[in-house]
Amino acid sequence: MSINNPDPDPRTTPGLEQGGSVPPGETPPAEASTASGAGPYRPLKRGWSKGPLMIILTVAVLVALFFLVYAIVL
């Protein structure tokens, strides 16, 4: 059975200096591909209004009251 190690051997990997560091010029320049500004800025037109938030809070309070009453009755 042969075990393949996915990590490269630092002794035989090209572009590595003694100790495993990378010499200048070997790595690509930094990219901002993970930045959040990918495209033009457009301000939000609509957000959460008061109606949906009040419904969510009302349901949460009713559920909490249900479990509180249930705990007291038992």
Side-chain angles (χ1 to χ4, degrees), residues 45-56:
K45 294 180 181 173
R46 293 184 60 158
W48 283 90
S49 63
K50 293 180 183 176
L53 287 177
M54 291 305 293
I55 292 171
I56 291 171

Side-chain angles (χ1 to χ4, degrees), residues 3-15:
I3 298 175
N4 293 331
N5 187 356
D7 296 329
D9 186 7
R11 295 172 295 186
T12 60
T13 303

Side-chain angles (χ1 to χ4, degrees), residues 19-61:
S21 63
V22 179
E26 280 290 322
T27 57
E31 297 179 15
S33 63
T34 59
S36 63
Y41 172 73
R42 287 182 273 168
L44 297 175
K45 294 180 181 173
R46 293 184 60 158
W48 283 90
S49 63
K50 293 180 183 176
L53 287 177
M54 291 305 293
I55 292 171
I56 291 171
L57 287 175
T58 304
V59 169
V61 168

